[in-house]
Amino acid sequence: MSQVEKKAGLLRRTSSSKKPLKEKVVLMYDEIFAKEDPAKNNPRFWDELFLMKVNLEYLESKLESVDGEEVQRIQDNINSLFHHCVQALGEEHQIKVVNALQTLCALFRGVHQKNKSASGFDIINMLMGFDKAEQRMKDLMERLDSLLCGDGSESLKSLCLKLLLCLVTVTDNISQNTILEYVMINSIFEAILQILSDVSSRGQHGYDAVVLLALLVNYRKYESVNPYIVKLSIVDDEPTLDGMGMVVHQALTEYNRQYKDKEEENQGGFFSTLTSMVGSMFIADADEKLSVQTNEAILLALYEAVHLNRNFITVLAQSHPEIDIAATPITPTPTTPTTPLGTTPPSLDMMSNPELPLDPNLQTSNLLITFLKYASIVMQDTKDEHRLNSARLCLIILTCIAEDQYADAFLHDDNMNFRVNLHRMPMRHRKKAVDKNIPSRPLVCAVLDLMVEFIVTHMMKDFPMDLYLRCVQIIHKLLCYQKKCRIRLHYTWRELWSALINLLKFLLSNETTLLAKHNIFHLALLVVNLFNMFITYGDTFLPTSNSYDELYYEIVRMHQVFDNLYCMVLRVSTNTGQWKEAASKVTHALVNVRAIINHFNPKIESYAATNHISQLSEEQIYSQQWGRQTLALVCWRWYDPTMTH
């Protein structure tokens, strides 16, 4: 059968002198779109309709082709179709239930596609009649809830979730989907939790359930009381939270695995050889080949869980062996509409295993590690808006984690060390890190590494200012916790200092271009405040006194950047203009850094002149006692009171 024939619902080709034959279900659809009641001459019309295989394409196209006048003419029949679909969900005959679910999908999609500019009330009226909508939706949600929680087939449960996802995603902006008001009133929250808490159902339906919950939570979340937000925030059932974490973990693991497979594939063969011959001129092409479709739906679910439910933080920390799970075919389900959001669930084999084999030789992992690896991949490329939004969501999730006291305690626990292999962007001036050389450290080191990596690799013309702000703020929150709890983290702080100074250098070099779009003084203030925190409170969290020497050395070595920054902000703050106040704040914040530079620079220059040395080495500078302790009295304990510490 040709595609044209399929669309028209034809049974077979016929001669040009005869009308083409149509499927019976198509003929019945045509009766629904006629003015007369289709059951008037055939009392068994609706019973027969749901025994027929649904022709989704034809039904949707008919709904989309109806014009304004025809809508009024056939509205009663459309209302009747919706009503009988809901009634069919209560039938014992599974064929009828399946066909009713698919017909409802076509109804929701077809009516919304045709009436994108119409109000939600008009769409409700066309689908079910406004005066009967409350009862119709109550019946629909009760029957879907019964199917999801009952002992019926897994295929039916899958179709129920697909229908709900279809209903939620028919509008581009979920908050404009007025039908969801009835989904708020007739909650299916408990049914979703039941799916997530059960090992078997989670393995087959967990992905759809988690995505559905994340979407429902976002319905008018800032405009009115959303019952799904309230209920999610108080969930404390351990199996349910673990199940939710398992679904998210497996989805992110699948993404990481696909990326790793593509990376290994591109490391061999002709492309790799050619790249090694001509340097890195083909790095951009390599990145395109390594591109894997990101999964914002599952990221949104992780954000809502971390943001709304403090009990979920414990799920992030639960350790298990790190096992590479090969993708396996997903159990096929009955023909359904395309999965909403353009995402397909990953293989969820691991979810059906309540316990994993314990092997002391295996590297342990957890949801947080998997997320950090995912973020390190997504944050490499932020040039297109899609991946930029994905990177932004990753940083928002990390912000929520850094603000949680329990999460901070776990991140900094020196008794729980992990080897986290973050992905790094290919760059000309550095070699790719070898996995085996990654030390086992507290997880906060991996978070800081990720922030440093982002700072170093995104200084570009299309500057992602909001991502840099979030990145620096995450570092600040982690330092505040270390200061508060006096945690002396053994971390290579010099890499962070160097990255921050280079960021300031970039802002200076591109002042004119960046100021046309961004308030670079706000970012500069946050960066300078990080140095102030190290200078004034470093004695509470830097690992050794030598760390102070390294900090001062780095500041003095790069003093030209700070001098130039001071000149720039002084110039802007003394002139009348848009950025006067913002620049003035940076001027005051630079007091400590300038005190260090003014204290050490003359001594270094004098020593070099006396000993006829053009340039002192780091060791020569460290060997001199130039009064770092007395400098502490010179430095003001200046700190921006508006920043949390």
Side-chain angles (χ1 to χ4, degrees):
M1 187 183 292
S2 69
Q3 185 66 23
V4 176
E5 290 172 327
K6 181 180 177 183
K7 284 186 177 181
L10 303 183
L11 287 174
R12 65 172 182 267
R13 291 183 182 276
T14 59
S15 64
S16 58
S17 61
K18 296 181 180 179
K19 290 184 178 181
L21 298 178
K22 293 184 177 181
E23 300 174 55
K24 184 174 180 180
V25 71
V26 169
L27 294 172
M28 297 183 81
Y29 290 154
D30 288 340
E31 288 186 57
I32 294 172
F33 285 89
K35 187 176 181 181
E36 295 293 328
D37 180 359
K40 184 177 180 180
N41 298 319
N42 180 7
R44 292 187 51 79
F45 178 87
W46 299 110
D47 287 332
E48 292 176 5
L49 176 67
F50 294 112
L51 288 172
M52 306 281 180
K53 184 179 179 181
V54 179
N55 189 323
L56 288 169
E57 197 170 2
Y58 185 83
L59 180 55
E60 283 187 45
S61 65
K62 286 289 286 186
L63 287 164
E64 291 177 31
S65 65
V66 176
D67 61 27
E69 292 183 2
E70 285 182 301
V71 169
Q72 299 297 325
R73 182 168 55 82
I74 66 167
Q75 182 176 314
D76 288 343
N77 287 353
I78 299 296
N79 292 171
S80 188
L81 174 59
F82 188 94
H83 171 59
H84 285 92
C85 281
V86 174
Q87 282 192 322
L89 296 182
E91 295 275 357
E92 293 184 6
H93 205 309
Q94 284 202 1
I95 294 291
K96 287 188 175 182
V97 180
V98 168
N99 290 332
L101 288 168
Q102 293 185 348
T103 303
L104 283 169
C105 278
L107 272 173
F108 284 126
R109 278 216 301 252
V111 170
H112 277 87
Q113 285 298 315
K114 173 62 182 176
N115 300 277
K116 284 186 176 180
S117 60
S119 70
F121 300 110
D122 290 337
I123 289 174
I124 291 172
N125 197 38
M126 182 178 177
L127 273 173
M128 57 197 96
F130 198 73
D131 56 332
K132 300 176 183 176
E134 189 171 341
Q135 186 59 46
R136 295 280 187 268
M137 286 300 297
K138 182 175 184 293
D139 293 341
L140 173 62
M141 297 307 295
E142 285 179 352
R143 286 178 181 174
L144 289 176
D145 184 84
S146 178
L147 288 169
L148 288 171
C149 298
D151 298 326
S153 72
E154 300 302 330
S155 297
L156 277 182
K157 292 182 180 181
S158 179
L159 271 177
C160 288
L161 289 169
K162 289 287 190 281
L163 170 60
L164 287 164
L165 283 169
C166 176
L167 170 59
V168 171
T169 57
V170 285
T171 56
D172 294 334
N173 184 343
I174 191 171
S175 294
Q176 294 175 353
N177 189 351
T178 313
I179 295 179
L180 292 187
E181 287 293 338
Y182 301 109
V183 183
M184 297 294 117
I185 297 170
N186 305 285
S187 175
I188 52 162
F189 184 81
E190 286 70 23
I192 295 174
L193 293 196
Q194 182 173 316
I195 290 171
L196 295 175
S197 62
D198 181 75
V199 174
S200 176
S201 64
R202 181 174 70 234
Q204 300 188 58
H205 315 298
Y207 182 88
D208 284 346
V210 164
V211 171
L212 176 62
L213 179 58
L215 292 170
L216 290 172
V217 162
N218 278 274
Y219 176 71
R220 297 185 178 176
K221 64 189 300 185
Y222 302 116
E223 302 169 27
S224 59
V225 177
N226 183 322
Y228 291 86
I229 292 178
V230 177
K231 291 180 179 181
L232 179 58
S233 65
I234 59 175
V235 173
D236 59 358
D237 180 60
E238 190 174 335
T240 302
L241 294 174
D242 289 347
M244 189 183 303
M246 192 71 78
V247 172
V248 175
H249 178 267
Q250 184 58 19
L252 297 181
T253 299
E254 181 71 10
Y255 176 92
N256 295 346
R257 185 192 63 77
Q258 289 178 17
Y259 181 87
K260 187 176 180 181
D261 289 347
K262 282 201 171 187
E263 190 177 41
E264 291 175 354
E265 180 183 330
N266 286 334
Q267 283 175 354
F270 172 76
F271 181 81
S272 178
T273 305
L274 186 62
T275 303
S276 63
M277 288 172 58
V278 298
S280 55
M281 63 185 293
F282 289 113
I283 280 178
D285 296 332
D287 288 344
E288 288 178 13
K289 288 194 174 187
L290 290 177
S291 178
V292 179
Q293 180 64 44
T294 53
N295 194 333
E296 281 70 33
I298 214 70
L299 271 187
L300 181 64
L302 177 58
Y303 163 71
E304 296 298 352
V306 170
H307 174 62
L308 293 175
N309 193 302
R310 295 202 68 238
N311 299 315
F312 188 80
I313 294 295
T314 61
V315 177
L316 294 173
Q318 289 178 359
S319 299
H320 56 74
E322 188 174 46
I323 303 173
D324 286 333
I325 304 165
T328 55
I330 304 169
T331 305
T333 56
T335 304
T336 58
T338 306
T339 306
L341 304 180
T343 59
T344 51
S347 57
L348 303 176
D349 292 347
M350 194 175 94
M351 296 178 205
S352 59
N353 297 324
E355 295 186 13
L356 294 166
L358 297 178
D359 184 342
N361 297 319
L362 285 174
Q363 163 70 14
T364 55
S365 181
N366 54 46
L367 175 54
L368 184 53
I369 292 175
T370 303
F371 169 68
L372 290 174
K373 291 180 180 180
Y374 177 92
S376 71
I377 297 170
V378 169
M379 289 164 59
Q380 286 184 39
D381 178 18
T382 59
K383 291 179 182 177
D384 67 271
E385 188 175 0
H386 182 77
R387 297 182 76 84
L388 178 68
N389 289 332
S390 194
R392 182 180 292 114
L393 191 48
C394 286
L395 287 172
I396 292 173
I397 293 169
L398 279 173
T399 302
C400 293
I401 292 171
E403 289 175 341
D404 186 271
Q405 292 292 308
Y406 178 84
D408 282 329
F410 171 73
L411 286 173
H412 291 84
D413 191 342
D414 200 36
N415 296 315
M416 300 186 71
N417 296 331
F418 299 90
R419 187 175 291 109
V420 184
N421 179 27
L422 298 176
H423 294 264
R424 307 179 79 198
M425 185 183 295
M427 299 182 75
R428 292 183 180 89
H429 66 276
R430 68 181 184 188
K431 295 180 179 179
K432 184 177 178 181
V434 181
D435 296 0
K436 293 181 181 179
N437 294 336
I438 300 171
S440 187
R441 304 172 296 172
L443 271 180
V444 67
C445 295
V447 178
L448 290 170
D449 283 347
L450 183 61
M451 299 300 99
V452 170
E453 175 69 10
F454 181 85
I455 291 172
V456 169
T457 57
H458 288 77
M459 299 178 203
M460 51 193 175
K461 184 178 179 181
D462 192 10
F463 191 68
M465 173 61 79
D466 66 322
L467 300 193
Y468 268 95
L469 291 172
R470 293 186 185 279
C471 186
V472 174
Q473 287 166 346
I474 289 168
I475 296 170
H476 179 262
K477 293 177 189 299
L478 295 174
L479 291 181
C480 288
Y481 181 81
Q482 292 168 27
K483 168 188 168 291
K484 176 184 176 182
C485 300
R486 295 183 172 270
I487 296 173
R488 300 190 181 279
L489 184 68
H490 290 276
Y491 181 73
T492 50
W493 292 112
R494 178 173 266 179
E495 291 184 6
L496 172 61
W497 300 329
S498 177
L500 293 172
I501 293 172
N502 284 326
L503 175 56
L504 292 176
K505 187 176 180 181
F506 175 82
L507 296 180
L508 288 166
S509 302
N510 298 272
E511 175 193 350
T512 305
T513 306
L514 292 175
L515 273 179
K517 299 179 180 179
H518 310 291
N519 178 5
I520 62 173
F521 301 106
H522 182 42
L523 178 58
L525 178 63
L526 294 179
V527 172
V528 173
N529 272 341
L530 284 181
F531 280 102
N532 279 327
M533 194 165 187
F534 279 105
I535 294 167
T536 57
Y537 300 113
D539 57 331
T540 63
F541 62 85
L542 286 174
T544 63
S545 59
N546 290 337
S547 300
Y548 256 122
D549 292 333
E550 293 176 356
L551 171 64
Y552 288 7
Y553 174 80
E554 209 57 35
I555 291 173
V556 173
R557 183 176 72 87
M558 301 298 290
H559 71 90
Q560 195 65 51
V561 175
F562 293 105
D563 291 342
N564 292 342
L565 176 63
Y566 181 74
C567 291
M568 189 258 279
V569 295
L570 188 63
R571 165 172 50 83
V572 176
S573 63
T574 52
N575 296 326
T576 56
Q578 179 183 0
W579 309 114
K580 179 181 174 68
E581 185 178 350
S584 179
K585 291 180 180 179
V586 183
T587 306
H588 294 303
L590 281 166
V591 168
N592 284 340
V593 173
R594 297 189 71 239
I596 292 172
I597 294 170
N598 293 334
H599 177 81
F600 283 109
N601 251 5
K603 295 180 182 295
I604 293 173
E605 291 171 1
S606 174
Y607 179 84
T610 303
N611 293 275
H612 306 288
I613 303 172
S614 60
Q615 188 173 358
L616 273 68
S617 67
E618 187 174 347
E619 290 73 20
Q620 287 173 318
I621 293 176
Y622 283 160
S623 66
Q624 303 304 311
Q625 298 297 321
W626 284 321
R628 178 175 58 77
Q629 288 78 10
T630 59
L631 178 63
L633 301 176
V634 178
C635 288
W636 298 2
R637 288 220 168 219
W638 187 95
Y639 200 60
D640 187 347
T642 62
M643 297 184 71
T644 309
H645 59 281

